[in-house]
């Protein structure tokens, strides 16, 4: 069977990648519609070897499609996801708009595909935040084997997570500085080139940022564990594609680095790169960018805690962190639920 699919936000970094991944993975598509705001309507986007013209979502007839992949900002999803859902469209939403709604599944197929059984309640499925996705793909096998009580994580997040203007800012600042000119900070509050900013999304009353709290809220919902303790620090780094994470967990039962390595090597969606030698670890630029896997290295027992384990986790934030996870949800749906 083939499906009629719409991508809303088709001219943005994630939307373009959704189209790229749908084509690359040969998702069974009958008709494909690229949807955008009025401002971006008319823009040409690629779908495999085809070119699509982005249509204004305001004029779109949702009865034409069965699946909608959304990534055009929370307010756009808030407006159009219920409209599409009422037409029977299954919406897979990459924004944070619906993630914390108890009636809406928040899904990483390798981690909690069973949560999809509830999707018909609202016909909306939420795609988790990129920094949560890669962390939980890596932690799932360990969580199932020995339980996890606490997660400390520091993230090193690429500027593509902020969108095209942020990528342009990094490039412009870098060029300016290399030419002994002043680096102007407009997208970010401070210079990002050759610098790191401990600030992603808005500050909360507890001193954490919303990006950090998303990792707490989403980990608990996806693992179905209201008691797991999560302590993130989310940092923006001068990298274009690929988020990196230094993860320190406290497990319920002791697990050795070797046991963890063996579990991870068999885990779906995980690639272990863990040699204690030069280059024996994954990095965003050399290994993760452009790929769909979650790469894990620097696996070692925590010398400061009897049941502690440390991991270094890297993944392409636009692909597995957004577009590919969304397409994998759609693949799981058509394979098992439609
Ligand atoms: C970021 N995870 O990296 C957020 C949203 N994509 O900016």
């Amino acid at each position: 069977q083939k499906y009629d699919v719409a991508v809303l936000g088709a001219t943005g970094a994630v939307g373009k990648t959704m189209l790229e991944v749908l084509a690359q993975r040969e998702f069974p598509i009958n008709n494909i519609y690229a949807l955008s705001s009025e401002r971006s309507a008319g823009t040409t986007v690629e779908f495999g070897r085809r070119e699509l013209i982005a249509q204004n979502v305001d004029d779109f007839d949702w009865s034409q499609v069965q699946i909608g992949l959304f990534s055009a900002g929370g307010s756009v999803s808030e407006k159009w996801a219920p409209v599409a859902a009422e037409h029977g469209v299954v919406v897979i939403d990459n924004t944070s708009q619906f993630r914390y709604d108890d009636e809406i599944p928040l899904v990483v197929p390798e981690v909690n595909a069973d949560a999809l059984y509830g999707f018909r309640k609202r016909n909306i499925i939420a795609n988790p935040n990129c920094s949560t996705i890669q962390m939980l793909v890596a932690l799932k096998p360990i969580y199932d084997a020995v339980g996890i009580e606490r997660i400390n994580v520091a993230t090193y997040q690429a500027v593509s997570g902020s969108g095209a203007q942020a990528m342009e800012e990094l490039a412009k600042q870098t060029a300016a500085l290399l030419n002994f000119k002043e680096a102007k900070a407009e997208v970010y509050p401070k210079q990002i080139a050759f610098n790191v900013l401990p600030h992603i999304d808005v500050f909360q009353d507890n001193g954490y940022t919303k990006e950090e709290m998303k990792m707490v809220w989403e980990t608990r919902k996806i693992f179905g564990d209201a008691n797991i303790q999560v302590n993130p620090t989310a940092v923006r780094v001068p990298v274009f594609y690929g988020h990196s994470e230094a993860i320190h967990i406290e497990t319920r039962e002791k697990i050795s680095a070797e046991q963890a390595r063996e579990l991870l090597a068999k885990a779906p969606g995980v690639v272990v790169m863990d040699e204690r030698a030069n280059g024996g670890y994954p990095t965003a630029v050399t290994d993760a960018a452009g790929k769909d896997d979650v790469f894990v290295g620097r696996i070692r027992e925590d010398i400061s805690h009897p049941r502690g384990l440390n991991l270094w986790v890297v993944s392409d934030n636009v692909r597995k962190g957004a577009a590919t996870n969304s397409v994998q949800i759609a693949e799981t749906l058509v394979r098992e639920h439609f």
Side-chain angles (χ1 to χ4, degrees):
Q1 181 177 349
K2 294 198 172 188
Y3 299 87
D4 300 311
V5 177
V7 174
L8 175 51
T11 61
V14 172
K16 282 178 181 172
T17 309
M18 284 172 164
L19 289 167
E20 180 185 349
V21 170
L22 283 166
Q24 275 174 357
R25 294 172 72 99
E26 296 178 345
F27 188 82
I29 286 181
N30 181 32
N31 291 306
I32 179 86
Y33 301 89
L35 304 180
S36 70
S37 62
E38 183 178 13
R39 179 169 39 84
S40 304
T43 307
T44 301
V45 290
E46 291 180 6
F47 174 64
R49 284 193 295 278
R50 288 170 53 186
E51 285 199 337
L52 306 176
I53 309 287
Q55 300 175 36
N56 181 355
V57 60
D58 297 336
D59 307 328
F60 187 64
D61 170 8
W62 288 101
S63 64
Q64 297 176 94
V65 300
Q66 294 88 48
I67 297 172
L69 300 182
F70 284 25
S71 191
S75 57
V76 173
S77 287
E78 184 181 27
K79 177 176 181 183
W80 291 110
V83 172
E86 275 155 30
H87 284 80
V89 180
V90 178
V91 175
I92 299 166
D93 182 31
N94 181 50
T95 77
S96 58
Q97 185 62 32
F98 299 101
R99 286 180 189 157
Y100 316 116
D101 183 323
D102 289 342
E103 293 188 336
I104 291 180
L106 180 66
V107 178
V108 183
E110 298 92 330
V111 178
N112 68 326
D114 288 352
L116 280 171
Y117 284 104
F119 86 91
R120 281 291 181 201
K121 198 176 184 81
R122 300 270 294 280
N123 266 355
I124 298 171
I125 298 157
N127 196 58
N129 196 30
C130 41
S131 47
T132 307
I133 290 172
Q134 68 184 71
M135 181 169 80
L136 298 192
V137 168
L139 293 185
K140 165 73 174 174
I142 299 167
Y143 184 85
D144 286 351
V146 292
I148 296 175
E149 290 176 345
R150 184 165 179 241
I151 302 169
N152 275 289
V153 52
T155 72
Y156 307 79
Q157 299 185 217
V159 296
S160 51
S162 304
Q165 285 178 304
M167 289 194 270
E168 204 175 310
E169 176 147 299
L170 173 56
K172 279 183 179 170
Q173 286 182 1
T174 304
L177 292 163
L178 292 177
N179 287 283
F180 308 103
K181 293 196 178 102
E182 186 208 351
K184 290 195 192 69
E186 288 158 356
V187 173
Y188 294 117
K190 292 190 172 184
Q191 176 187 316
I192 182 63
F194 307 104
N195 198 15
V196 295
L197 305 181
H199 170 205
I200 298 178
D201 209 329
V202 294
F203 280 93
Q204 309 290 294
D205 294 343
N206 66 2
Y208 283 70
T209 61
K210 194 167 182 186
E211 184 77 359
E212 290 158 351
M213 292 310 298
K214 284 177 181 177
M215 295 184 82
V216 180
W217 300 327
E218 294 172 23
T219 295
R220 290 178 173 166
K221 181 167 178 179
I222 293 164
F223 275 172
D225 180 349
N227 300 313
I228 192 167
Q229 299 300 307
V230 188
N231 178 35
T233 301
V235 179
R236 187 71 69 190
V237 296
V239 169
F240 286 105
Y241 291 97
H243 287 350
S244 305
E245 296 177 344
I247 302 175
H248 316 89
I249 61 176
E250 292 164 24
T251 55
R252 291 200 184 290
E253 295 156 38
K254 171 74 182 165
I255 184 170
S256 69
E258 188 46 43
Q259 288 166 323
R261 198 172 292 111
E262 283 167 18
L263 281 175
L264 286 160
K266 294 182 294 203
V270 173
V271 172
V272 173
M273 292 178 70
D274 189 38
E275 302 296 329
R276 294 171 175 175
N278 289 351
Y281 41 78
T283 78
V285 171
T286 57
D287 306 293
K291 306 270 183 45
D292 291 330
D293 296 299
V294 170
F295 297 80
V296 184
R298 297 299 322 279
I299 303 167
R300 63 202 189 283
E301 290 162 48
D302 182 338
I303 55 174
S304 68
H305 190 288
R307 287 172 285 106
L309 187 75
N310 300 326
L311 308 162
W312 174 252
V313 175
V314 184
S315 189
D316 184 315
N317 55 298
V318 178
R319 289 184 70 98
K320 180 55 187 172
T324 306
N325 198 70
S326 298
V327 172
Q328 287 170 326
I329 290 172
E331 289 171 345
T332 309
L333 280 177
V334 302
R335 190 174 58 239
E336 297 176 24
H337 296 269
F338 262 17

